[in-house]
Amino acid sequence: MIQTKPNDSHKELHDEKSLKGTLFSVGVLAAVIVVMWVTVFWIYMDRV
Amino acid sequence: MEQTLRETIRNNPKKILGVNPNDAKVSLSYLTVAFVSLLIGGILGMLQGLERAGLIQLPSWLNYYQVLTAHGLLLLVVFTATFTIGYQYANLSHSFGGLLSKVRKLAWIGFALMLIGVVMVTVMIVLNEASVLYTFYPPLAAHPIFYIGLVFVVLGIWACCFGVFINYRYWRKNHPGQTTPILAFFAMGVFILWFFASIGVTIEVFTLIPWSMGLVETTNVMVGRTLFWWFGHTLVNIWYLVATSAWYVIVPKIIGGRHFSEKLIRLVIILLVILNIPGGFHHQIVDPGISQSVKFLHVFMSLSIAVPSLMTAFAMFFVLERTGRKLGGKGLLGWLKKLPWGDVRFLAPMIAMISFIPGGAGGIVNTSNQLNQVIHNTMWVVGHFHITVGVSVVLTFFGICYWLIPYLSKRQLTPKMNKIGVIQTYVWTVGMALMAGSMHIVGLLGDPRRTSDTTYGGHEIAVSWIPYEMVFAIGATLLLIGVIIQVYAVFNMMFFAPKGHTEFPVAEPEDDATPAPLWTERWGLWIVLLIAVISMAYVVPIVDMILNAPPGSPPIRTW
Amino acid sequence: MQRLEEIWITVSVGILIVFMIIVGYQTFALGMGPPSHKEVIDPQKVDTTAPFNNPGIKEIGDNEFEVVMTLQAFGFTPNSIELPVGAEVHFTMTSKDVTHGFQIPGTNINAMVMPGHIQKISHTFTKPGEYLVICNEYCGIGHQAMSTTITVK
């Protein structure tokens, strides 16, 4: 019990500073940009 | 104790006394005009949605194009301008501990000038003397009073610009070595951009006045169009900058967090101010008379405006995640659940920010040179600006109302009103998702914008657009319901909500944050760079358009 | 600046640069750029200026045509065009009054046609059918009626 506690708080502290959610979110944003662009590009090429 | 109290009163009287009632009156007056125009503009918007879907036929004395002209001008110019001034002047008053009395006077002069201008413009539209749409491309020629009214509107905006510049200078002079509060810095960015944006359209309008009166025979239509978009697209980014002021500074406070690094916020503002104006050229990608190399230079310039927005996206997610995790959010996305989704002051700007993801992505498509041929002047563009302006900007403005108006009127946001706000936000979101979503899709199928009826004698491709147009009508109806709820909420909070104290939510920096560098305040330098960028973008094409101009066009009335 | 933010800006700007390279290559190496013709004309003398004094369809090569077209409120001259399948068509257009648009839904034909300026755009009609031609820039009270067709068979 006593041994795990510092470990826990360390993990918590680490979790509090984590930015993986931000990284994931901007990744989604980049995906939206690419998907929208590629869709319109594909329509453009199809109509050439 | 005595000493500090006196110091507080001298340096920051609003902390004790609340908002200066004279300043509150300025902001509340502008906001009143804003929401009256929203109501009228919203009703006109629904009428268009219904006519476009073939459900109603507007009478000849109030035709689709009159309604469209009024909808555009009332919402894109009057609503956004008056809201922006009301909100930014409140920010300034809060940041500087009250406005200078001469600045307040300028704001009132601006108010009067804008009202006169709006009345002139509106009367001409109602009389069917100015069915030239929001863009008033020559050689469509409106009644001269329409253009003179526009001049009054611009003069009113300029009066407010000078007010901000004077108050900023005064504060800086009295606080040597200090950086201005971040909201005041935002206000400087907004009004500087506004001033330089409106120069283009002002030159255009001044050439159109004698032409529409018959004193000058012809006008250069290409130069007019280019000067319009110098203003037209920059205006979009002025609204966006206003919205980001709330995203960066207000939202973190409401969710119980701290704001992002002030140095980076200032960098984003400076970049938006410097890079913005050439963006207008991507409205002319399929125009004749502009060479492909000039167009491609502007593809680069337009895309560069995306960079500060990409920085903003990162900063916002950073602040949201930091705060959510501090509140106990775990795992990859657990922090999202910890955010106050039931608080309209957060919910509305949050949905606004989310909608800027497809909004911004659509903008990148629009400016990608030949891809513009797929979407130019189709309903896609209408869908694009309804999610960018109609959600990213407007929903942020709506969210601001729920603390700004009670703060100014010394009233409170009741839990009931908060609930009304949450419902309003969802109605708006669903309405826009339906309308703008179907507009995007049907635009890709070729449905043109700015056209009262797109049946084209029952041609099969035109028939395929009809189901989507029905969805516009459903969306537009929901949006009018949203407008009515919002206008009710605004005037209730202005005049009827219970008296009380409402906080002005300004986020603090992180404890270990470095102070903002003083060099960011060098507006003279930023303006020089802004002018340099405008010159790079505009001197060559405009000189070319003038030197190689065709014989001009006479005024023409086709309505 | 956060290291993570630097990575994000690098990646996202990289995406924008890739977009620019693709459209730039198509524009300058493959000649697929947007319609940007630079000739001018007196907008009040369109009817007496060649080639617009004689609008119509001319065969200029093997299944290759030039369509000289004038736009005015609220119609296209010539209208109801007929073309064979596979025709490569070069449209040469100008406006006799206000700014119009020239769009054929389902194709990449989308160009502004302005008074005083000559605009050109080309397309190869590989599929048979009746194509709808519309004005996509507001040009007055009858704007919604400004349309015609191109029949390809």
Side-chain angles (χ1 to χ4, degrees):
Chain A
M1 202 61 192
I2 285 163
Q3 259 180 336
T4 56
K5 204 163 186 190
N7 225 347
D8 256 11
S9 74
H10 176 75
K11 201 180 161 201
E12 237 163 57
L13 196 74
H14 181 74
D15 208 42
E16 202 167 283
K17 290 273 171 195
S18 165
L19 285 174
K20 55 187 173 187
T22 300
L23 196 63
F24 176 79
S25 307
V26 290
V28 171
L29 196 166
V32 172
I33 292 176
V34 172
V35 167
M36 253 172 119
W37 198 89
V38 169
T39 306
V40 177
F41 183 72
W42 180 78
I43 292 172
Y44 174 79
M45 289 309 291
D46 189 52
R47 289 175 180 177
V48 163
Chain B
M1 189 67 201
E2 174 94 310
Q3 190 78 3
T4 46
L5 186 66
R6 192 182 289 164
E7 246 170 41
T8 317
I9 292 174
R10 190 185 312 127
N11 295 332
N12 208 353
K14 69 194 181 281
K15 268 211 171 127
I16 295 175
L17 303 171
V19 61
N20 176 329
N22 290 326
D23 295 357
K25 220 175 186 175
V26 171
S27 289
L28 287 170
S29 304
Y30 273 99
L31 293 171
T32 302
V33 175
F35 285 93
V36 170
S37 0
L38 178 75
L39 183 62
I40 303 170
I43 294 169
L44 298 176
M46 190 195 68
L47 292 178
Q48 279 167 74
L50 296 180
E51 168 142 9
R52 185 61 185 260
L55 298 173
I56 60 163
Q57 172 83 52
L58 287 165
S60 61
W61 48 268
L62 185 70
N63 67 60
Y64 184 85
Y65 300 109
Q66 275 174 291
V67 168
L68 182 52
T69 308
H71 174 76
L73 280 165
L74 281 177
L75 296 184
L76 292 182
V77 177
V78 184
F79 169 69
T80 56
T82 46
F83 184 91
T84 296
I85 295 167
Y87 165 55
Q88 293 294 313
Y89 265 70
N91 285 351
L92 215 61
S93 164
H94 179 79
S95 304
F96 288 163
L99 300 171
L100 294 173
S101 72
K102 62 179 162 190
V103 170
R104 213 178 294 127
K105 218 170 273 164
L106 274 171
W108 284 119
I109 292 170
F111 188 75
L113 288 169
M114 285 175 79
L115 272 190
I116 295 168
V118 170
V119 168
M120 289 165 90
V121 167
T122 312
V123 168
M124 286 303 113
I125 297 171
V126 171
L127 293 177
N128 200 19
E129 290 291 338
S131 297
V132 290
L133 307 194
Y134 158 71
T135 46
F136 57 91
Y137 294 137
L140 289 172
H143 195 284
I145 292 176
F146 172 81
Y147 301 110
I148 295 168
L150 292 179
V151 171
F152 274 94
V153 173
V154 172
L155 289 176
I157 290 169
W158 283 0
C160 295
C161 291
F162 291 126
V164 172
F165 304 155
I166 290 167
N167 220 330
Y168 172 87
R169 256 183 81 94
Y170 176 84
W171 192 92
R172 289 270 293 144
K173 230 180 185 168
N174 287 285
H175 299 77
Q178 287 183 42
T179 52
T180 43
I182 185 70
L183 283 175
F185 193 80
F186 262 109
M188 274 302 277
V190 167
F191 285 90
I192 285 176
L193 202 50
W194 222 344
F195 180 75
F196 283 97
S198 48
I199 288 176
V201 76
T202 309
I203 298 170
E204 183 197 1
V205 168
F206 272 120
T207 64
L208 295 185
I209 291 172
W211 170 78
S212 63
M213 289 169 143
L215 302 174
V216 176
E217 269 178 35
T218 63
T219 192
N220 185 326
V221 294
M222 198 55 162
V223 171
R225 193 175 157 83
T226 306
L227 290 175
F228 179 81
W229 284 116
W230 161 327
F231 159 80
H233 196 81
T234 312
L235 186 60
V236 173
N237 288 283
I238 291 167
W239 309 325
Y240 168 64
L241 192 55
V242 174
T244 52
S245 74
W247 300 354
Y248 272 113
V249 188
I250 310 294
V251 168
K253 177 72 178 180
I254 287 166
I255 63 175
R258 303 294 179 89
H259 71 63
F260 196 64
S261 153
E262 189 168 339
K263 183 177 162 185
L264 286 172
I265 300 178
R266 285 168 180 251
L267 187 63
V268 166
I269 300 170
I270 293 165
L271 283 175
L272 279 172
V273 169
I274 293 175
L275 295 175
N276 234 308
I277 292 180
F281 259 101
H282 69 244
H283 292 254
Q284 296 177 272
I285 289 179
V286 299
D287 277 15
I290 304 171
S291 72
Q292 297 210 336
S293 42
V294 167
K295 285 178 180 174
F296 200 75
L297 170 73
H298 286 99
V299 171
F300 169 73
M301 292 194 123
S302 290
L303 285 177
S304 69
I305 307 173
V307 176
S309 298
L310 293 166
M311 291 166 71
T312 300
F314 182 91
M316 289 302 112
F317 285 125
F318 177 94
V319 168
L320 296 174
E321 180 169 20
R322 265 290 144 82
T323 313
R325 287 196 187 277
K326 214 160 57 188
L327 296 171
K330 297 265 186 304
L332 184 62
L333 294 171
W335 47 275
L336 271 174
K337 285 186 215 142
K338 296 288 172 186
L339 299 173
W341 295 95
D343 184 341
V344 63
R345 300 170 308 157
F346 166 72
L347 180 70
M350 183 65 187
I351 293 176
M353 290 191 276
I354 293 170
S355 83
F356 195 58
I357 296 175
I364 291 171
V365 170
N366 299 346
T367 193
S368 289
N369 219 30
Q370 60 271 29
L371 298 199
N372 189 262
Q373 283 170 247
V374 178
I375 55 87
H376 179 75
N377 273 356
T378 68
M379 289 309 293
W380 163 287
V381 177
V382 185
H384 170 68
F385 63 71
H386 277 91
I387 51 168
T388 47
V389 178
V391 187
S392 294
V393 171
V394 167
L395 215 42
T396 304
F397 287 3
F398 287 177
I400 289 168
C401 289
Y402 292 93
W403 56 266
L404 179 63
I405 291 173
Y407 166 81
L408 292 170
S409 62
K410 297 190 192 247
R411 292 173 191 274
Q412 277 175 317
L413 173 64
T414 59
K416 195 177 144 210
M417 186 54 75
N418 179 58
K419 206 164 185 188
I420 291 174
V422 170
I423 294 168
Q424 197 282 337
T425 307
Y426 285 124
V427 170
W428 194 263
T429 307
V430 173
M432 275 298 183
L434 288 174
M435 192 177 84
S438 58
M439 283 173 168
H440 272 94
I441 299 168
V442 78
L444 292 175
L445 302 176
D447 194 358
R449 67 186 286 201
R450 300 183 143 184
T451 308
S452 63
D453 169 24
T454 51
T455 48
Y456 295 112
H459 190 281
E460 66 175 317
I461 197 159
V463 169
S464 75
W465 301 330
I466 292 172
Y468 298 94
E469 293 169 349
M470 290 296 168
V471 182
F472 303 172
I474 299 167
T477 309
L478 281 173
L479 288 168
L480 181 62
I481 295 170
V483 163
I484 291 167
I485 301 173
Q486 182 65 25
V487 170
Y488 164 77
V490 163
F491 288 107
N492 184 285
M493 290 185 290
M494 226 180 252
F495 300 112
F496 305 109
K499 290 265 179 195
H501 174 78
T502 295
E503 174 205 27
F504 197 106
V506 179
E508 301 284 327
E510 302 262 13
D511 292 328
D512 57 352
T514 44
L518 202 56
W519 57 260
T520 54
E521 302 279 356
R522 297 184 61 185
W523 284 107
L525 178 60
W526 310 141
I527 290 172
V528 169
L529 289 174
L530 161 86
I531 293 170
V533 170
I534 295 179
S535 315
M536 254 169 68
Y538 281 93
V539 170
V540 171
I542 289 188
V543 167
D544 182 45
M545 284 170 200
I546 293 170
L547 291 184
N548 300 316
S553 286
I556 297 172
R557 178 173 170 152
T558 50
W559 68 89
Chain C
M1 202 187 274
Q2 287 270 337
R3 172 131 181 79
L4 207 57
E5 184 173 15
E6 284 170 17
I7 296 171
W8 161 241
I9 293 301
T10 313
V11 169
S12 56
V13 170
I15 294 172
L16 298 183
I17 291 172
V18 170
F19 292 167
M20 274 187 64
I21 291 172
I22 295 172
V23 295
Y25 178 77
Q26 287 193 330
T27 298
F28 296 108
L30 304 178
M32 294 165 78
S36 311
H37 195 67
K38 286 196 74 172
E39 265 177 285
V40 295
I41 182 171
D42 186 337
Q44 298 186 72
K45 294 184 182 135
V46 171
D47 285 334
T48 53
T49 310
F52 299 100
N53 54 357
N54 186 21
I57 310 160
K58 296 173 190 73
E59 186 153 12
I60 53 169
D62 184 23
N63 212 3
E64 191 177 351
F65 298 84
E66 185 186 18
V67 174
V68 174
M69 183 181 265
T70 58
L71 286 78
Q72 71 186 106
F74 304 100
F76 302 85
T77 313
N79 63 15
S80 306
I81 296 169
E82 286 192 19
L83 293 163
V85 176
E88 185 183 351
V89 186
H90 309 285
F91 294 93
T92 301
M93 301 169 287
T94 195
S95 165
K96 288 162 75 170
D97 43 40
V98 298
T99 300
H100 296 281
F102 181 71
Q103 185 193 343
I104 304 183
T107 73
N108 288 329
I109 293 188
N110 193 341
M112 300 303 295
V113 180
M114 298 172 61
H117 296 266
I118 298 172
Q119 179 67 301
K120 291 191 176 188
I121 191 164
S122 300
H123 185 72
T124 304
F125 291 88
T126 50
K127 287 179 215 121
E130 192 190 68
Y131 290 81
L132 179 64
V133 179
I134 56 176
C135 169
N136 69 1
E137 182 58 82
Y138 168 71
C139 57
I141 195 69
H143 165 59
Q144 67 284 352
M146 187 166 166
S147 73
T148 183
T149 54
I150 294 179
T151 308
V152 176
K153 52 184 176 190

